[in-house]
Amino acid sequence: MRYEAGSIETKWQAKWEADGLHHARDHDPRPKFYLLTMYPYPSGDLHVGHWYPMAPSDAIARYKRRQGFNVMLPIGFDAFGLPAENAAIERGIHPYTWTMDNIARMRRQLRSMGAMWDWAREVVTCDPGYYKWNQWFFLKMYEKGLAYRALAPVDWCPKDNTTLAREQVVGDERVCERCGTPVVKKNLEQWFLKITAYADELLDFSKIEWPERVRVLQTNWIGRSQGVEFAIPVAGRPHTSFRVFTTRPDTVFGMTFCVLAPEHPLVDELTTPEHRRAVEAYKFKAARESDIERLSTEKERDGVFIGAYAVNPMNQAPVPIYIADYVLVTYGTGAIMGVPAHDVRDFDFARKYGLPIPVVIAPPGWDGQSLREAYLGEGTMVNSGPFDGLSSQEGWQRIADEMVRRGIGERRVNYRLHDWLISRQRYWGTPIPIIYCDRCGVVPVPYDDLPVRLPEDAEFRPTGESPLRYHEGFLNVRCPRCGEPARRETDTMDTFIDSSWYQYRYVSPHYDAGPFEPEKARYWLPVDQYTGGVEHAVMHLLYTRFWTKVMRDMGLVAFDEPMIRLFNQGTILGTDGNKMSKSKGNVVNPDDVVQKYGADTLRAYLMFIGPWDEGGPWNTRGIDGIARFLNRVWTLVAEPPKPAAGAGDAGPSERELDYWIHHTIRRVTDDLEAFRFNTAIAALMEFSNVLQRAKGGPLADGPLWQEALRTFVSLLAPLCPHIAEELWVEHLKQPYSVHTQPWPAYDPQKATAERITLVLQVNGRVRDRIEVAAGISDAEARELALGSAKVQQYLNGKSVADVIVVPGRLVNVVVT
RNA sequence: GCGGGCGUAGCCGAACUGGUAUAGGCGCCAGACUUAGGAUCUGGUCGGCGCAAGCCGGUGGGGGUUCGAGUCCCUCCGCCCGCACCA
């Protein structure tokens, strides 16, 4: 009989479901284990890439449960976002309909995997019962000053006449994904969350076990730098100055110019009439091109003199003021001191415009000549007035002290991290619960009025403008304070808000008195193990850490980090080695694979491709190997031994079979513990090959044989849950369910082979291999090695300098 | 440019703290069973020389440490992924 995956899988899925086998109970004496995999976005483009993160995490969940944990493995959908709205604009389907249809399709498809998801905890973020709490959190943050409104540069598409979300700006050319027009920056009033208030704490990873890679990415993204911010007066204007930030106050005497960002607020005021034309032209160019030009690595640094001069506060030297787009308005103060001798960019700039390049930090052994390139290292201060002769490190502190003493500057820490811009000029997202009243100003929506619901009867215009701006019923509202007519905020929230706290909602998805039920949260939280793609390293994974710290400071949770451990799986690629995409025609549809091979085969294949964190290309032939393996497993367990088979081979001895049982338990246990699914499956394949041989021999059908089969099926169960259940219950006649049986334990004694191959080397080269008892003493091993005829052959009269014995492995005879 | 990672058979990949390189799978070759097989089973499969026993070479190149290096150190080459004028 051939193994019929289809009927077996649907049968057990139905029974598990009916028995509530996968429901995670809130009150349970077992230790809890909260395993979370990043929830999927319900795009219409379903492929096997959705299974790749999911199947192994289900195997972990099943393994952990067998280890005695009360495991929660929830599932939900990241349901807000741009593709739904684009479908609405392009095809006239309402985003809600589009999203819910996709979710329905995905639910069915995901269920066919046979994973132990607790569907009773499902969370869908576009449900008002969910996004109500986004709004609640927003209001709480607003009260604490963590949500604020400010003018900010955003990406703007001049053709569609609308702002674009980050994700809508595509390609190296940074164009609008819909019309291909290059985006520009535009200043708009936007809502921000004050993530920078937590920048320093977010740099502390001591309470989590996350991959080095993610920690490095987050650290760089936050980009902490220490320096001094100080004021530079403008020449001839006693009351005008601008501030600059520097990490090198020790170089301040080398300043020969200043640069303001083109968008700096003082530019217009300081520009002299004869330079206005050039300045305006440069500003225009910078606004239109900065983001595009930035991509060319060899872009020449340029700028424009604005006609005004600044005064170096340390030596009163006047220096020209330029604008240049290499100075960013978004970092530091949007202005810098130009010290060409000790900064690469300033050096290039000074060369281009013929500005002097005086050395103020002498490199060790400096000959007094001018520099060929900027010198960035430490050295001795020169040309720096009273600070001459100091080391640059000491000069750093002394000049900083002097600036503080004179009240013109202070020590400062700057971050690359910006506050989180959450406003989206989009319909399909959580409405920001704010009302604008002409009399009362910015008024938060009262908590009792939450949720602010998205109107269903929205009109999606081809221009891409948010329907909320034209929806009279949504827009017009009474001010909650004075009762006069007012307007709603029409922007919605970034969807990364949804994913910042979804793990908390799974704890009590239907709870109505708060984002989650405190008592249950105390039991389940935080997440013990999180898995997902590394592409979220500096977005979602940073935001959710921020969110947790805010919740902690609100008294909602008592811990500092949302997820203790993190694992980043790789990406599954198409048969051509490229990322799977519809346009490339290399997409593998899991439905087809399940139809042809069954879910267990697909699961095992995905885990067998290679290390989980590396991903890899889909290989159509490779899955045939797994299908053959499961067919052999089926025959092995379900069909009675045939005495005639394997006549020439007596198979393993009883001791050997016992060894294989315990050896395999150890290997599979260690591998699952470390998420090494590929080698766990290889271990099972080896075991099955041994069992195959045993089946033809005298051991078949004895008690040890039965134990071997039970062990094999038991170890296979987390990886291939259906076939294991079928074999366990129907053929081995063991109690339902294999998935609730204790994980097999191994006996370390039995897991050690009785006899081993001892490698004999002469000067590190293998010369002989002999089979010996595993427990052989070093002295015995030494004697056997020296007694080996082959070893003797290589000794050949030379004197033995040393004999190195590695117990259980080898003997190396060193001769001279 | 800076940061992180990687390089092992024809292909995907094993190899724990340095200790038999290439487990397991794919593919390929041969055989068995078959009317037939792209089904199934069995055996073989790093390269060179050799009838064979065996010898030699071999983990991107070169060098080093060590009794012993895929693993550690230096250096070069190639590939992938982030960030990219951050003052």
Side-chain angles (χ1 to χ4, degrees), chain A residues 151-174:
Chain A
L151 198 66
V154 295
D155 293 314
W156 175 266
C157 175
K159 180 157 180 282
D160 287 350
N161 206 28
T162 181
T163 58
L164 298 174
R166 239 183 121 114
E167 308 80 39
Q168 274 192 304
V169 181
V170 297
D172 287 349
E173 305 82 27
R174 290 184 53 82

Side-chain angles (χ1 to χ4, degrees), chain A residues 27-47:
Chain A
H27 304 286
D28 195 286
R30 290 173 294 173
K32 66 96 181 179
F33 188 81
Y34 185 174
L35 173 61
L36 184 66
T37 294
M38 290 180 186
Y39 65 173
Y41 178 79
S43 68
D45 188 20
L46 304 171
H47 56 72

Side-chain angles (χ1 to χ4, degrees), chain A residues 140-196:
Chain A
K140 290 285 178 191
M141 290 192 199
Y142 180 73
E143 283 173 11
K144 294 175 77 78
L146 290 171
Y148 66 93
R149 199 159 173 259
L151 198 66
V154 295
D155 293 314
W156 175 266
C157 175
K159 180 157 180 282
D160 287 350
N161 206 28
T162 181
T163 58
L164 298 174
R166 239 183 121 114
E167 308 80 39
Q168 274 192 304
V169 181
V170 297
D172 287 349
E173 305 82 27
R174 290 184 53 82
V175 299
C176 170
E177 68 167 1
R178 198 160 38 237
C179 65
T181 309
V183 303
V184 296
K185 290 286 183 192
K186 187 159 177 164
N187 279 331
L188 283 179
E189 285 278 326
Q190 304 281 285
W191 283 96
F192 292 86
L193 298 185
K194 209 168 190 171
I195 190 170
T196 54

Side-chain angles (χ1 to χ4, degrees), chain A residues 39 77 101 215 251 289 409 423 432 457 529 578 729 739 750 811:
Chain A
Y39 65 173
F77 296 95
D101 285 354
R215 300 202 312 262
T251 67
E289 291 183 350
S423 297
I432 295 175
D457 55 340
Q529 176 72 58
N578 291 308
V729 174
H739 302 295
K750 292 177 174 175
V811 180

Side-chain angles (χ1 to χ4, degrees), chain A residues 635-654:
Chain A
T635 317
L636 180 73
V637 181
E639 290 184 7
K642 290 180 201 143
D649 184 2
S653 69
E654 198 159 326

Side-chain angles (χ1 to χ4, degrees), chain A residues 228-232 241-246 259-267 327-337 410 412-415:
Chain A
V228 172
E229 186 179 312
F230 66 97
I232 297 184
S241 69
F242 56 90
R243 299 184 76 80
V244 298
F245 174 73
T246 179
V259 184
L260 305 181
E263 304 88 349
H264 194 284
L266 275 181
V267 172
V327 174
L328 309 174
V329 74
T330 50
Y331 183 76
T333 59
I336 61 157
M337 63 172 191
E410 59 279 330
R412 233 195 102 105
V413 173
N414 252 325
Y415 301 93

